[in-house]
Amino acid sequence: MRSDAPAVVDRGRYQDAVTPWERQDWREDVFGWAERRLAAHGLRETGPRKVRLRPWSVLVRMSVAGGEAVWFKANPPASAFEAGLTEALARWVPGYVLKPLAVDVGRGWSLLPDGGTLFRDALDSAARTAVDPRAWEEPLRQYAGMQRALVPYTDEIERLGVPGARTAVLPETFDRVVEENTALEPADRKVLRELRPRLVGWCEELAAAGIADTLDHSDLHDGQLFAPEPGRFTFFDWGDAAVAHPFCSFLVPARAARERFGPEALPRLRDAYLEQWTGDGRTQAELRRALSLAWRLGAIGRACSWGRLFPAASSSVGGAGDTESAGWLLELATEPPL
């Protein structure tokens, strides 16, 4: 396996971002490692590679003889935990995630099987005949079921290096992210400082609902899950994950569904997600209120995740991470639509 094998490289809108892919010695290490791990599964790479470079990951699609493609992923240091988390999730909730072919926890490398049809592609295909806002309901039910199944593993998830953004300490997390952000204008900082007492109250109210913190994907849009067969969904791409209130996860898919289907889809999707959280003595009104609070607070997790870039990429893209993070922080001042 040659590190300089033909490759089609996609840099998206980050043409100047510097990633480890630029280094030949790194590529040689990667593909030597991948070759050995593929051989352990009786697989051999064939054909050109497709490379997707972003400030937050290096992703390589590798064709293998006699089978589906496999995917290599490298995370930057701040999200290197994804390799170990992916491996652990395959043990804890095997029906919901991909089982990696190999991981290198220390280097943040993963070798993954192909997951089948992306949910986004399934939605696009369905849209040619009918637009159905209910399409998100079953994925959200299954995702919430996975979150509940992971509650007993919360401490172990943090020990894997997954960042903590637990409800009780979220105001301190907010303070740190605001302090470190270089893109906030003075007027924006004033808005956020004035918002902080309300934020503390939201966190206290959400914690009082008594729903345990667990794994929050933090970026569960329609390109972060597969639909390999009718009625089954597989969740992946955990580089933005945090240990947080589970309901914070609803923010991103709800926004994606609202953009595609309109705001009228949101109540049904909210109730589909909440189905897994009933039966513990909480009323529907209490659960809906908790979800509304978490919708707003989920913006902090999104702001945090934009700091997890390759160090060289972070400087070369001109503070894009801070700009995106600032935008999410200011979303805290927006009233949730539910």
Side-chain angles (χ1 to χ4, degrees):
M1 185 183 296
R2 296 168 49 211
S3 64
D4 59 349
V8 177
V9 179
D10 165 21
R11 296 179 181 271
R13 60 189 177 96
Y14 301 98
Q15 295 297 311
D16 297 328
V18 179
T19 70
W21 178 262
E22 325 304 329
R23 292 172 24 217
Q24 182 174 346
D25 62 333
W26 186 86
R27 297 196 304 270
E28 290 173 350
D29 283 347
V30 162
F31 294 115
W33 176 82
E35 180 178 27
R36 294 189 296 274
R37 298 302 179 267
L38 287 173
H41 291 274
L43 300 173
R44 178 176 58 83
E45 185 186 15
T46 61
R49 300 166 182 149
K50 293 183 179 180
V51 182
R52 182 179 181 272
L53 302 181
R54 297 294 185 267
W56 54 86
S57 68
V58 173
L59 189 65
V60 184
R61 183 186 186 277
M62 303 163 63
S63 300
V64 295
E68 300 288 345
V70 300
W71 298 80
F72 167 81
K73 183 174 184 179
N75 291 80
S79 63
F81 63 81
E82 184 179 0
L85 177 61
T86 299
E87 184 178 50
L89 292 176
R91 297 195 307 271
W92 297 334
V93 285
Y96 295 99
V97 297
L98 296 175
K99 181 179 180 180
L101 299 171
V103 299
D104 186 318
V105 173
R107 293 190 283 190
W109 293 354
S110 305
L111 195 62
L112 300 159
D114 190 82
T117 303
L118 268 181
F119 184 52
R120 175 181 295 161
D121 294 339
L123 288 174
D124 289 343
S125 177
R128 297 191 187 102
T129 55
V131 177
D132 188 351
R134 296 171 297 178
W136 263 106
E137 290 183 23
E138 188 56 27
L140 286 170
R141 286 190 192 96
Q142 293 186 23
Y143 174 75
M146 180 187 67
Q147 286 185 296
R148 290 205 65 164
L150 287 170
V151 168
Y153 301 102
T154 300
D155 291 342
E156 292 182 62
I157 290 170
E158 277 194 316
R159 285 195 290 270
L160 290 169
V162 177
R166 292 180 184 252
T167 311
V169 300
L170 208 50
E172 288 75 18
T173 303
F174 167 81
D175 291 341
R176 174 180 57 80
V177 179
V178 171
E179 175 65 26
E180 293 175 353
N181 191 286
T182 62
L184 286 167
E185 298 292 339
D188 297 334
R189 292 187 184 277
K190 182 175 184 292
V191 167
L192 294 172
R193 281 197 302 270
E194 293 175 350
L195 189 67
R196 191 184 190 279
R198 296 178 64 198
L199 184 145
V200 171
W202 299 330
C203 292
E204 290 173 348
E205 184 180 354
L206 186 58
I211 297 167
D213 293 324
T214 184
L215 186 64
D216 170 15
H217 184 287
S218 192
D219 193 25
L220 190 64
H221 57 71
D222 52 16
Q224 307 282 47
L225 64 153
F226 294 111
E229 59 188 58
R232 188 169 76 84
F233 302 92
T234 305
F235 307 96
F236 72 101
D237 200 347
W238 298 95
D240 291 331
V243 172
H245 195 285
F247 290 8
C248 290
S249 286
F250 187 73
L251 170 64
V252 171
R255 284 167 59 104
R258 181 177 60 179
E259 182 176 341
R260 181 181 283 267
F261 301 118
E264 61 276 8
L266 294 183
R268 289 183 63 103
L269 300 185
R270 171 197 61 196
D271 292 345
Y273 175 78
L274 290 176
E275 282 181 18
Q276 294 286 354
W277 304 96
T278 59
D280 292 332
R282 300 178 190 89
T283 67
Q284 190 74 356
E286 289 170 336
L287 288 170
R288 288 176 176 177
R289 172 58 179 168
L291 190 72
S292 180
L293 292 165
W295 173 297
R296 198 190 298 255
L297 294 170
I300 299 175
R302 296 297 302 129
C304 289
S305 68
W306 272 100
R308 301 176 202 168
L309 309 179
F310 287 110
S314 182
S315 60
S316 64
V317 298
D322 273 4
T323 300
E324 296 283 354
S325 180
W328 279 105
L329 287 169
L330 293 169
E331 283 288 316
L332 287 161
T334 302
E335 192 68 26
L338 286 171

